[in-house]
Amino acid sequence: MTSRLQELDARASTRLRRLPHAAATDRVLAAASRLTDRGRGWYALGIAGVALDRDRRVDWLLATATVTLTEMLSERIKHVAARPRPNVKGLPHLAATPSPFSFPSSHTADAVAASIAFGRVLPRAPLRIAALVQAASRPYLGVHYVSDVIAGAALGLATGRLAGVWGILTRAR
């Protein structure tokens, strides 16, 4: 059964990579990928929030810590799983990657966690759209299998929700 799922995953990922590509879309998605490598773009957002929004500084710090935790967990899992990135013959990756490993998608995990955590201080809809675009871009750019994205989204959802519970508990004291 596992090999059948792996085969379906590889086929779906290959189909997504073979979708028609507009050069401008490729450039924008690759730039967004670079911006959020290792959570950097999310950290910048958190630091700006801490500096500019003193009334909600704790919420900004908690959101930034959530992305940090998510990134750390994702990278640890990635190195344990050591799954190589997809390799579609004749179609190179369209974005640089900070790691040779694929599972789970750290970009997706960070984006989903950030959309939940920063959603306490910013409008949620744009954050959710950003997370969805980030997730969809990973197989489109050829750097992840579909299952990597699903696993990354699940990790981000878990850490984002965990941070929400932590925030509620710390305010209750």
Side-chain angles (χ1 to χ4, degrees):
M1 184 65 158
T2 302
S3 63
R4 177 74 176 135
L5 289 175
Q6 289 172 331
E7 180 185 323
L8 287 171
D9 189 25
R11 228 183 297 150
S13 301
T14 298
R15 283 189 181 179
L16 287 169
R17 176 59 185 92
R18 288 186 173 148
L19 287 174
H21 283 249
T25 303
D26 293 353
R27 282 192 303 275
V28 167
L29 293 177
S33 182
R34 281 189 305 277
L35 175 68
T36 56
D37 277 348
R38 306 268 193 231
R40 286 189 303 240
W42 299 113
Y43 299 144
L45 177 63
I47 290 166
V50 167
L52 300 172
D53 187 359
R54 292 176 187 242
D55 293 340
R56 297 184 293 179
R57 183 171 283 159
V58 170
D59 292 320
W60 286 102
L61 287 169
L62 180 60
T64 307
T66 300
V67 174
T68 303
L69 172 65
T70 305
E71 178 66 23
M72 290 170 57
L73 289 171
S74 178
E75 286 301 315
R76 184 67 193 132
I77 294 166
K78 192 173 288 221
H79 282 83
V80 169
R83 181 184 195 185
R85 294 194 181 270
N87 184 10
V88 178
K89 186 177 179 181
L91 295 172
H93 297 161
L94 297 175
T97 57
S99 162
F101 303 125
S102 181
F103 182 89
S105 167
S106 296
H107 282 80
T108 302
D110 293 348
V112 170
S115 75
I116 295 167
F118 286 115
R120 294 179 187 87
V121 290
L122 293 171
R124 289 186 179 123
L127 291 167
R128 302 256 161 83
I129 291 168
L132 182 60
V133 168
Q134 184 75 270
S137 76
R138 308 317 289 160
Y140 174 89
L141 293 169
V143 295
H144 281 288
Y145 293 98
V146 172
S147 61
D148 301 336
V149 172
I150 293 168
L155 176 61
L157 181 64
T159 57
R161 293 260 169 97
L162 179 66
V165 169
W166 178 257
I168 290 168
L169 292 175
T170 57
R171 284 184 191 84
R173 290 184 195 185

